[in-house]
Amino acid sequence: QKLPKHIKIKKNETRNKEMPPQQQPPDGKQDPPTTPSPIPTWAQTSKDTWGSPLVVPEWQEKSTHENHRLTNGWRGTDLCHHIHSPVRITNYHAAFALRGGVGTTLTGLAHFTTAAESHKGYCHGGSMCAVMDDVIGWTGFLATGECRPWSGFTAQINTAMKAPIKVGSFLVVRGTIVRWEGRKVFVEAELVAEGGVVHAKADGLVILNKELLDSISEKKRKFGSAEE
């Protein structure tokens, strides 16, 4: 089908050349920098007190991360743990209470990048909520005394935003199990700056898979519990 005579197409002109650099579509050669911002000294020092590092295959860097996800059912990158995430949580550490359960904590470092910006240098409130969703869910996965990824799901989150976050900020995010009733794990979380300023607080509910509790009950039936 011929175009009308008044419409002309310039030869040897690509879409990328017509668009400003910041609007050019990704073509494999324009990926964002692959080196994340360096972790602040204060965070490097304090993370040694957070507990044992949590190693999750689908969060690992670049090739390892992507290969694991592609071969295990994922279809994209992780919202909060990929190297290019707008707000990236790194260095999750778990500290288990006796036999897991109430008192168990999960602590990490959240980097709010410029991609999380909303209004003139401050981050979107949704980025704070995403961090709370992530830490509450993964704290719930620690309820049995070990990390069991995807052993349940987050059913409810209530987030109170206390102070705005400037883009580029590194904040500590921490979740704590405060109650466990059957399949229900109740978690409280907070997002705190280096100087102690609380930027957000949240409480949430994680529902554990029935199969997980069944397996725990079967194990106790066969081998007995330390409390018996």
Side-chain angles (χ1 to χ4, degrees):
Q1 182 179 359
K2 293 183 179 181
L3 294 172
K5 292 182 179 180
H6 67 279
I7 298 179
K8 297 181 180 180
I9 297 177
K10 294 181 181 180
K11 294 182 179 180
N12 300 322
E13 184 173 69
T14 64
R15 182 175 58 168
N16 279 5
K17 290 182 180 179
E18 295 172 352
M19 300 173 65
Q22 68 270 23
Q23 296 178 8
Q24 291 180 11
D27 59 3
K29 297 180 181 180
Q30 300 171 353
D31 288 338
T34 56
T35 303
S37 299
I39 296 174
T41 302
W42 65 265
Q44 289 280 15
T45 303
S46 62
K47 72 177 184 179
D48 294 334
T49 65
W50 294 349
S52 303
L54 207 62
V55 179
V56 180
E58 58 265 28
W59 296 348
Q60 302 311 301
E61 298 298 346
K62 202 60 179 174
S63 60
T64 303
H65 167 98
E66 293 176 355
N67 288 340
H68 177 85
R69 294 179 74 86
L70 289 175
T71 56
N72 286 275
W74 278 273
R75 302 181 67 178
T77 57
D78 194 282
L79 177 64
C80 293
H81 296 277
H82 189 257
I83 194 170
H84 301 318
S85 297
V87 53
R88 186 188 186 206
I89 302 174
T90 61
N91 304 303
Y92 261 153
H93 289 66
F96 294 97
L98 183 63
R99 296 181 60 79
V102 176
T104 293
T105 63
L106 184 66
T107 307
L109 189 67
H111 180 209
F112 289 79
T113 74
T114 54
E117 186 176 38
S118 176
H119 182 69
K120 296 183 178 180
Y122 289 94
C123 293
H124 195 288
S127 63
M128 302 163 73
C129 294
V131 169
M132 291 306 193
D133 184 358
D134 193 83
V135 73
I136 286 174
W138 281 92
T139 302
F141 296 162
L142 305 178
T144 62
E146 61 180 322
C147 182
R148 300 198 182 197
W150 317 114
S151 55
F153 55 91
T154 307
Q156 181 176 333
I157 296 174
N158 303 305
T159 302
M161 301 174 191
K162 302 293 187 179
I165 298 173
K166 292 183 178 180
V167 296
S169 298
F170 283 87
L171 302 179
V172 173
V173 57
R174 178 175 293 109
T176 304
I177 297 177
V178 295
R179 198 159 87 249
W180 183 9
E181 299 174 356
R183 295 177 61 193
K184 298 179 179 180
V185 180
F186 298 86
V187 179
E188 292 182 354
E190 60 180 1
L191 196 55
V192 186
E194 175 191 5
V197 175
V198 177
H199 287 265
K201 285 192 171 185
D203 60 80
L205 171 64
V206 177
I207 305 295
L208 298 179
N209 296 334
K210 184 177 183 299
E211 293 77 12
L212 174 64
L213 297 187
D214 289 343
S215 66
I216 294 174
S217 298
E218 180 65 12
K219 185 176 180 180
K220 286 183 177 181
R221 186 184 69 78
K222 287 183 177 181
F223 304 104
S225 69
E227 300 167 339
E228 292 177 344

